[in-house]
Amino acid sequence: STVIDINLIDLPKVSVISQEKLVLALSESRTLLRDCALEDLLPWWRRIQSLLETTHYDVAVAGEFSRGKSTLINKLIGAEILTVGDLPTTAMPARVRFGESNRIWLRERDGRRQEVDSTASKKPEHSDTLQEGIHEVEVPSSWLKESGLQLIDTPGVGSLDGARSSFATEVISVSDATLVAVSATMPLSLTEKSFIEQEVLGGAIPRIAVVITRLDQVGEEERVQVVAHIYEKVAAWAPSAEVWSTYDSQTLQSETTDTVAGIPAIKKRLSE
């Protein structure tokens, strides 16, 4: 109840410490959080750890299964590198980053890494068994190289497999931004509402965008209404989130002038 004027406080000077000491302090702080039953703060701890270990900008692409996440990433990088399907069976996250050539690695949870055959028949695909690890996919995308972005395709959060949902949540918690893919053919279910509120907004993610996919599969007369419906729901559930669309129809742009519409516009906004 006491109001304190921080301008009157003699604040300590900030000292620069070595990377090794910072890593040690971070490790000790995680133990302290667990000992004090403050697990709710662990998403913040994971974000700090991720920022300390990496120099790139991670964008998680999340959402329920069959919402067009893999298709969105394929369009952004201009290559059919991720398998597309309609079943909630994505085995593990896939980190897509710049590389001089198409290469795929499987990094297991213990840190071990092995290269996977990068031919079309062996690219990251769907599986009935959840695997503990992540695919690291390198593609010669000039956009990824210039922007410093890395895209992470996450397991669908709407499947019956709780392990997959928790896996996706873990990936999102250490990302710099999250794109939530929402299909225009089945927009914004109650589970999507819960996911956005609890896992995305609750995970301290600084940048959030809801990306409308498959709008071209909706009749022309209905498209504007579908977009307006999603705008209304997102404004109520996540006011800080932007609404984008993979569809770049001039009609859509004229009706919703602040929508980032089309793959080129999304790439530009992500770079910004």
Side-chain angles (χ1 to χ4, degrees), residues 37-260:
L38 296 173
E39 286 84 359
D40 290 346
L41 296 179
L42 285 176
W44 289 92
W45 183 92
R46 295 191 189 100
R47 279 192 45 73
I48 295 171
Q49 182 192 44
S50 177
L51 291 172
L52 182 64
E53 294 178 346
T54 62
T55 57
H56 51 264
Y57 193 84
D58 282 339
V59 179
V61 181
E64 291 194 310
F65 66 90
S66 189
R67 294 303 193 267
K69 300 187 299 295
S70 299
T71 300
L72 171 60
I73 293 178
N74 286 339
K75 289 181 178 180
L76 288 172
I77 62 178
E80 295 294 323
I81 195 67
L82 298 177
T83 298
V84 176
D86 293 324
L87 297 176
T89 51
T90 300
M92 65 176 66
R95 176 187 295 275
V96 182
R97 64 190 183 204
F98 171 77
E100 297 297 338
S101 60
N102 288 324
R103 301 182 74 178
I104 299 173
W105 305 84
L106 172 60
R107 184 180 292 277
E108 300 181 19
R109 298 279 271 183
D110 60 8
R112 290 182 298 172
R113 190 176 80 153
Q114 60 178 329
E115 188 168 5
V116 179
D117 189 341
S118 59
T119 60
S121 62
K122 295 294 184 179
K123 58 191 176 184
E125 57 185 20
H126 299 284
S127 168
D128 291 330
T129 304
L130 179 65
Q131 301 175 50
E132 294 275 320
I134 185 169
H135 276 118
E136 297 178 345
V137 183
E138 297 181 355
V139 292
S141 164
S142 58
W143 173 64
L144 289 179
K145 181 179 181 180
E146 294 167 3
S147 65
L149 289 165
Q150 295 192 9
L151 307 176
I152 308 176
D153 188 20
T154 65
V157 296
S159 71
L160 297 177
D161 190 333
R164 283 192 174 87
S165 294
S166 62
F167 211 175
T169 298
E170 181 179 343
V171 173
I172 292 168
S173 69
V174 297
S175 298
D176 300 292
T178 296
L179 305 184
V180 181
V182 174
S183 174
T185 61
M186 40 186 169
L188 294 175
S189 65
L190 290 178
T191 53
E192 285 174 318
K193 174 181 183 292
S194 175
F195 169 70
I196 292 173
E197 289 180 339
Q198 297 180 23
E199 308 302 341
V200 181
L201 294 178
I205 308 302
R207 301 277 193 282
I208 305 167
V210 172
V211 183
I212 308 171
T213 64
R214 300 175 177 170
L215 198 58
D216 56 331
Q217 297 180 19
V218 176
E220 292 185 12
E221 301 79 9
E222 302 175 86
R223 289 172 188 165
V224 173
Q225 288 80 4
V226 168
V227 173
H229 168 75
I230 294 176
Y231 257 88
E232 180 182 355
K233 293 298 184 182
V234 172
W237 298 349
S240 62
E242 300 182 26
V243 179
W244 303 348
S245 169
T246 58
Y247 190 69
D248 59 358
S249 165
Q250 293 298 318
T251 301
L252 174 63
Q253 293 182 10
S254 64
E255 294 294 332
T256 54
T257 55
D258 57 340
T259 297
V260 174

